[in-house]
Amino acid sequence: MPDGQEQRIVIRPIEDEMKKSYIDYAMSVIVGRALPDVRDGLKPVHRRVLWSMHELGMAPGGQFRKCARVVGDCIGKFHPHGEMAVYDALIRMGQDFSMRAELVDGQGNFGSVDGDPPAAMRYTECRLTKVAQEMLQDIEKETVDFVDNFDATLKEPTVLPSKFPNLLVNGSSGIAVGMATNVPPHNLGEVVDGLVHLIEHPDARLEDIVHPERGPIRGPDFPTGGTVYGFPGVIEAYSKGRGLIKVRAKLGVEDHEGRRRVIVREIPYMVNKGLLLETIAGLVREKRLDGVADLRDESDREGMRIVIDLKKDALEDAVVAQLFTHTQLEVTFSIINIALVSGEPKTLGLLDLLRLYLAYREEVIRRRTQFDLNKAQARLHIVEGLITAVDHLDEVITLIRRSRAVEQAKQGLMVRYLLSEEQAKAILEMRLQKLTALGIQELRDEQTQLKGSIADLEAILASRERVLGIIRAELLELKEKYADARRTSIVAEAVDLEVEDLIPLEDNVVVITNTGYAKRVPMGEYRLQARGGKGLIGMETKEEDYVTDLFIASTHEYIMWFTSKGRCFWLKCYKIPPGTRYSKGKPLVNLLPRLEAGEHVQARISVKSFDDRRSIVFATKEGVVKRTNLSAYSHIRVNGINAINLREGDELVTARLVDGDEEIILASRGGLANRFPLAEAREIGRVATGVIGMRLREGDEVVSMAVVKDPKTELLTLLQSGFGKRTLVEEYRKTRRGSQGVKTTDTKRGSQVVAVREVTGGDGLLVTTTKGKVIRCPVAGISLQGRGARGVRIIRLDEADEVAAVARLIGEQEGEKMITASQSEIPPPSPYPGPGPSRPQPQPQPDPDDDE
């Protein structure tokens, strides 16, 4: 400390100091960097760039100058920040894809909609545009306040006069501390019409100014075009100052050499075209976007053209819906109309923005008029002094000649003719040519003209209607000069179509092989046959590939896939590739790409919704069961979730939907079955392990689980040899959870159990073999036999072939509606006939080994 100066220490809690410092910093960012002024729609950096260019004389039509010159001048005089920040602001004002009306006329590489960066500032050149000149018009007439620059060596404007309504036309975006702004751009002609309407109807309501068809303002108008999809978000944003709108690309479909193409001509505002193309290509590679054969960019100087070639069997509406869902061909634009009003950030509706702009222009017009009035009055004062001198010319000349100095002559004129100092000075500086008759008349004509101008200017200041009339005329002049056609179309009534909405609602047979190939086939592909028939070829399988599962599901249902490791994945049925009876299908790992090494799908459940009234019961090979509420699986995740915590060495066998009052029957490969109430397995958490449901003999394992409610329900037992039978559930003695169970079939001939399913007489079966044969037959044709019997032949097998899987078709009497195994209420394409007097049941051919 200097000698004699006392040190002063201020004690303050650090919380208070931090709070004050942070608030000061936040307000500095809000006011000095991030938010635009509601009057001219500019942030300080943009305003200083335009002012620097104006000071450098870079008028429209004049010579281009290096952007580096502008950036250096702006930094050195007004904006002491990073040069790239200033250059980026300058560049954006010159990009036709960022600004609805550019304020900078650029020469050189100013970047592109593909995300290409601009060239270095030493290569690019710029000058002001005519619109920017309108922003600066009348700034020399004291229409705005000036303040010292950062080092108090120069003056800079606090705001521009802004004859051009920049905030609404060009919009603005910025992130401050604790707030952000995102004002969308608009069409100049519409903004002018809205302002004029508000001038003529000061009490106008929002619905009088905003309409998607009649206007005056229809909605945002983005420089890159596109379509505003849905008008409610626009109305909400215009009324509250905040809202969300959907902006979509403009697409077209055309034919080319027998194939359909999707053509993208316009993309949403601020979307990077290069990244958009990469996203689409990535989705095609990952097989998340179906139906796309090729993708290329054919954009040129004539405009944008992205070509998406479709596959022959692709549904174009479905492809377009997927593009809108998964890419930035549809974006949500968040409108946040926050701007500085008298130095404070405020959220403003459209009417607020229009009225505040008109109020500011009214102030500018008044200040400009007052400036012109003062100037005219000052000139009139001088002219009247000159006329006085001319009227007394000889005396004035004599007085001047007798004076020894200029000051003496000036004082003499002021005293003799009661002139002001300015008048006397003007007389002394008057040229001799003014003393001619023509010069004297010019002074009198100027006097008359000035008096008329002064009277008119005073009338303007005294009449608000005159001021508003001037504003209206200037706005219409702007519209005449610079307005262009709207680029963004408005779709008022938006209907969001999901891909699912475009998929026909029908039942399919879904077929899965042991190597993980999957397909879905319409139910009509499988015709009805009698028990004992040879079956149809249901799937072309490669060597050592055989069908392990097939089931029926509606195209709109969720299929929950449970893997051998106890994880759950979700997939809409329609996303399984369609096929025919003879096609092989596609790998399931491509549909569920998050499967781990050695993990395979072991069970599945089809559901339409995840209500909390039902539960899922799991069964594992080691006889463990677990019951969990279905709602625990409603949070669909791409990477899947853990459905059951398996013990080491155990695998999931199956999973079934239950209501809570059923009985469980676990069946083992060795021919045993354990029946016990579901209530003995209470509901537990999603990642729990479960409890013992059936104790197994050495070498045995659980292969199936049936869920029944009525003891009169029939159980179908199917063996690998193609034999099967129906048995009443009541023949199975009810035991308890954890017992070994009772005998369910005769396995003395070495044929093991494939499945045990609950059935009714009106049901049908789809039985598949390891060699790909499928037979569809009625359950009523299978004999009702005792618990220990082997049954009858259901399908005649070729050598080395065996039954792999069975699916149950739930049905009623012939001619009545059918429902699928998932309890859907949607009928399949062809009803499955049940028993009844209206139609005789098909009878099997005699076979000595059919029955036991």
Side-chain angles (χ1 to χ4, degrees):
M1 298 292 294
D3 294 339
Q5 187 171 348
E6 197 175 306
Q7 186 175 7
R8 183 169 175 265
I9 298 176
V10 177
I11 299 176
R12 176 185 297 179
I14 190 171
E15 295 86 354
D16 296 344
E17 181 63 27
M18 291 291 292
K19 182 178 179 180
K20 180 180 182 302
S21 299
Y22 187 77
I23 291 175
D24 292 343
Y25 165 74
M27 290 307 299
S28 173
V29 172
I30 290 170
V31 176
R33 295 187 191 180
L35 299 185
D37 194 295
V38 73
R39 297 170 291 180
D40 61 3
L42 296 175
K43 302 176 188 177
V45 61
H46 300 98
R47 188 178 302 115
R48 287 164 177 168
V49 167
L50 296 179
W51 177 242
S52 296
M53 295 175 71
H54 178 74
E55 289 285 273
L56 290 170
M58 301 170 65
Q63 183 179 359
F64 284 96
R65 296 192 185 182
K66 291 290 185 182
C67 291
R69 170 76 182 275
V70 178
V71 172
D73 200 67
C74 181
I75 292 175
K77 292 181 178 179
F78 308 113
H79 197 74
H81 297 279
E83 61 180 22
M84 288 311 300
V86 177
Y87 184 52
D88 288 344
L90 187 153
I91 284 293
R92 189 179 187 280
M93 289 191 289
Q95 293 175 335
D96 59 356
F97 54 87
S98 297
M99 305 288 284
R100 191 60 181 81
E102 301 99 287
L103 302 179
V104 171
D105 185 7
Q107 185 167 268
N109 177 14
F110 267 54
S112 73
V113 72
D114 288 308
D116 300 320
M121 68 181 77
R122 61 182 179 274
Y123 299 120
T124 55
E125 297 179 338
C126 64
R127 63 186 178 188
L128 293 172
T129 62
K130 292 182 179 180
V131 168
Q133 195 172 41
E134 302 285 359
M135 295 275 296
L136 290 153
Q137 185 176 315
D138 300 325
I139 196 169
E140 72 284 353
K141 293 186 177 182
E142 300 178 0
T143 52
V144 298
D145 295 330
F146 280 73
V147 295
D148 290 335
N149 69 339
F150 62 90
D151 59 0
T153 59
L154 296 169
K155 295 288 186 180
E156 62 173 313
T158 58
V159 66
L160 300 186
S162 191
K163 179 180 176 181
F164 177 80
N166 180 64
L167 181 58
L168 279 170
V169 175
N170 279 323
S172 182
S173 63
I175 300 175
V177 178
M179 64 183 68
T181 185
N182 202 25
V183 183
H186 295 78
N187 182 272
L188 173 60
E190 294 181 9
V191 172
V192 169
D193 290 341
L195 290 167
V196 170
H197 184 87
L198 200 57
I199 291 173
E200 296 173 349
H201 306 87
D203 297 328
R205 298 171 301 173
L206 182 64
E207 51 266 33
D208 300 326
I209 292 180
V210 180
H211 193 277
E213 297 176 357
R214 298 187 298 271
I217 297 178
R218 295 176 57 190
D221 188 22
F222 299 104
T224 54
T227 301
V228 172
Y229 198 68
F231 203 66
V234 176
I235 292 295
E236 180 182 4
Y238 284 168
S239 60
K240 300 179 180 179
R242 292 175 179 267
L244 300 176
I245 61 173
K246 288 185 178 180
V247 184
R248 285 186 169 183
K250 286 186 180 177
L251 308 179
V253 180
E254 63 181 34
D255 289 313
H256 180 73
E257 298 180 355
R259 287 195 176 186
R260 303 284 281 171
R261 287 175 166 180
V262 175
I263 308 298
V264 182
R265 297 185 176 90
E266 296 176 2
I267 60 177
Y269 183 52
M270 299 306 292
V271 169
N272 186 314
K273 178 159 69 72
L275 292 179
L276 173 65
L277 292 170
E278 291 180 13
T279 301
I280 297 175
L283 291 172
V284 174
R285 284 194 302 269
E286 296 172 3
K287 302 188 183 300
R288 295 176 59 193
L289 181 59
D290 300 324
V292 175
D294 192 19
L295 170 70
R296 58 189 176 277
D297 186 5
E298 297 182 357
S299 305
D300 54 20
R301 293 183 178 179
E302 301 299 323
M304 184 180 297
R305 180 181 169 86
I306 300 173
V307 180
I308 304 173
D309 288 330
L310 303 181
K311 295 179 181 178
K312 288 184 178 180
D313 58 346
L315 186 63
E316 59 194 51
D317 290 339
V319 173
V320 169
Q322 290 182 75
L323 288 170
F324 283 145
T325 301
H326 299 296
T327 74
Q328 285 192 302
L329 289 178
E330 177 182 289
V331 299
T332 299
F333 187 92
S334 177
I335 297 178
I336 309 173
N337 294 336
I338 295 182
L340 296 176
V341 180
S342 300
E344 296 181 6
K346 291 187 177 180
T347 303
L348 307 167
L350 180 65
L351 287 178
D352 297 326
L353 292 171
L354 295 173
R355 289 192 172 110
L356 286 169
Y357 175 76
L358 289 177
Y360 174 60
R361 282 302 296 170
E362 186 176 350
E363 178 188 352
V364 169
I365 297 301
R366 288 186 177 278
R367 293 183 64 162
R368 182 184 71 187
T369 303
Q370 187 64 54
F371 177 86
D372 291 338
L373 176 61
N374 294 340
K375 187 175 180 181
Q377 289 174 338
R379 178 59 184 169
L380 178 62
H381 184 64
I382 298 299
V383 170
E384 287 176 343
L386 295 176
I387 292 175
T388 299
V390 170
D391 290 342
H392 305 83
L393 185 58
D394 294 337
E395 297 177 9
V396 169
I397 293 174
T398 301
L399 188 151
I400 293 174
R401 290 182 64 185
R402 290 177 179 176
S403 301
R404 294 183 178 181
V406 174
E407 185 63 28
Q408 184 181 357
K410 184 172 66 174
Q411 292 296 327
L413 290 172
M414 293 169 61
V415 173
R416 178 69 178 83
Y417 300 105
L418 302 178
L419 301 175
S420 66
E421 184 175 355
E422 292 79 10
Q423 289 175 318
K425 185 177 179 181
I427 292 172
L428 293 174
E429 294 175 352
M430 183 174 58
R431 292 186 178 185
L432 292 177
Q433 66 182 20
K434 291 292 185 181
L435 301 179
T436 64
L438 182 60
I440 293 172
Q441 185 59 41
E442 287 179 354
L443 288 174
R444 298 190 185 280
D445 291 344
E446 185 179 0
Q447 181 186 33
T448 302
Q449 181 184 358
L450 287 171
K451 287 182 178 180
S453 297
I454 290 171
D456 184 60
L457 293 171
E458 288 176 341
I460 291 174
L461 292 175
S463 172
R464 186 168 183 266
E465 288 72 18
R466 287 287 304 275
V467 174
L468 294 176
I470 293 172
I471 296 174
R472 181 180 183 277
E474 290 182 348
L475 287 171
L476 293 175
E477 180 185 359
L478 281 175
K479 180 180 177 181
E480 180 71 21
K481 286 182 179 180
Y482 308 112
D484 58 1
R486 164 173 277 274
R487 300 179 189 176
T488 302
S489 58
I490 306 289
V491 177
E493 299 296 331
V495 179
D496 291 330
L497 285 179
E498 301 291 340
V499 177
E500 182 175 325
D501 299 328
L502 306 172
I503 303 299
L505 196 62
E506 61 182 7
D507 283 347
N508 288 170
V509 177
V510 181
V511 184
I512 311 295
T513 72
N514 71 311
T515 54
Y517 278 78
K519 67 172 181 179
R520 59 182 174 92
V521 184
M523 285 285 297
E525 290 278 340
Y526 301 103
R527 70 175 185 268
L528 183 67
Q529 294 186 13
R531 174 179 65 81
K534 291 287 287 184
L536 299 171
I537 295 296
M539 191 173 194
E540 287 187 359
T541 56
K542 60 186 180 181
E543 187 177 357
E544 298 180 355
D545 189 16
Y546 55 89
V547 177
T548 58
D549 191 19
L550 76 164
F551 57 94
I552 294 87
S554 167
T555 49
H556 288 199
E557 289 182 337
Y558 281 103
I559 300 176
M560 301 172 64
W561 304 89
F562 299 96
T563 71
S564 55
K565 294 186 176 181
R567 293 203 298 160
C568 175
F569 295 86
W570 297 262
L571 189 69
K572 283 282 189 177
C573 181
Y574 67 80
K575 291 188 176 181
I576 298 175
T580 65
R581 280 195 300 111
Y582 306 100
S583 62
K584 184 172 62 175
K586 294 185 178 180
L588 190 60
V589 292
N590 292 341
L591 304 176
L592 304 173
R594 274 75 179 179
L595 293 178
E596 299 175 355
E599 186 177 21
H600 58 274
V601 173
Q602 190 68 22
R604 46 81 204 152
I605 290 177
S606 302
V607 296
K608 279 194 170 181
S609 63
F610 298 91
D611 59 71
D612 57 3
R613 293 172 297 177
R614 295 181 292 174
S615 303
I616 300 179
V617 174
F618 299 91
T620 73
K621 284 186 178 181
E622 295 183 355
V624 174
V625 294
K626 190 191 84 159
R627 178 183 170 199
T628 303
N629 195 284
L630 176 60
S631 60
Y633 302 88
S634 61
H635 301 292
I636 299 173
R637 301 175 191 169
V638 176
N639 293 326
I641 61 173
N642 290 326
I644 180 174
N645 185 19
L646 295 173
R647 299 172 181 174
E648 186 177 355
D650 198 3
E651 287 188 5
L652 183 67
V653 171
T654 188
R656 297 287 301 275
L657 275 178
V658 294
D659 294 324
D661 56 349
E662 297 94 340
E663 293 181 341
I664 299 298
I665 299 179
L666 296 178
S668 72
R669 190 176 300 278
L672 296 176
N674 184 31
R675 174 188 172 195
F676 61 90
L678 176 63
E680 293 187 9
R682 63 181 179 84
E683 282 192 358
I684 55 179
R686 176 172 59 83
V687 295
T689 299
V691 294
I692 295 295
M694 180 178 184
R695 299 191 185 277
L696 301 170
R697 297 174 181 176
E698 186 176 356
D700 200 3
E701 63 183 25
V702 172
V703 295
S704 187
M705 176 176 64
V707 178
V708 298
K709 287 189 177 181
D710 186 357
K712 298 296 183 181
T713 302
E714 301 170 358
L715 284 184
L716 172 74
T717 302
L718 186 66
L719 300 177
Q720 290 175 333
S721 59
F723 280 78
K725 59 157 184 165
R726 290 184 294 151
T727 304
L728 292 176
V729 170
E730 61 186 12
E731 291 198 21
Y732 291 81
R733 177 170 51 86
K734 186 184 297 186
T735 58
R736 67 183 186 282
R737 179 181 62 79
S739 71
Q740 288 188 346
V742 296
K743 183 177 180 180
T744 185
T745 187
D746 182 9
T747 57
K748 293 180 180 179
R749 301 191 186 186
S751 181
Q752 295 182 318
V753 176
V754 173
V756 174
R757 300 284 176 84
E758 66 275 16
V759 294
T760 64
D763 290 345
L765 293 180
L766 280 177
V767 180
T768 182
T769 72
T770 56
K771 289 189 175 181
K773 284 187 177 181
V774 177
I775 185 171
R776 178 179 178 183
C777 65
V779 167
I782 301 174
S783 300
L784 186 65
Q785 300 185 6
R787 180 168 53 82
R790 183 171 69 137
V792 298
R793 188 184 302 277
I794 295 177
I795 183 171
R796 191 177 300 278
L797 301 174
D798 295 332
E799 186 178 355
D801 197 7
E802 61 183 26
V803 172
V806 59
R808 171 194 176 200
L809 304 180
I810 301 177
E812 298 179 2
Q813 295 295 326
E814 180 178 5
E816 297 184 5
K817 291 184 178 181
M818 300 289 298
I819 58 176
T820 67
S822 59
Q823 305 300 320
S824 169
E825 295 181 356
I826 297 167
S830 58
Y832 193 89
S838 60
R839 180 173 180 176
Q841 293 300 306
Q843 297 298 322
Q845 296 297 322
D847 189 314
D849 196 32
D850 264 2
D851 297 292
E852 288 190 354

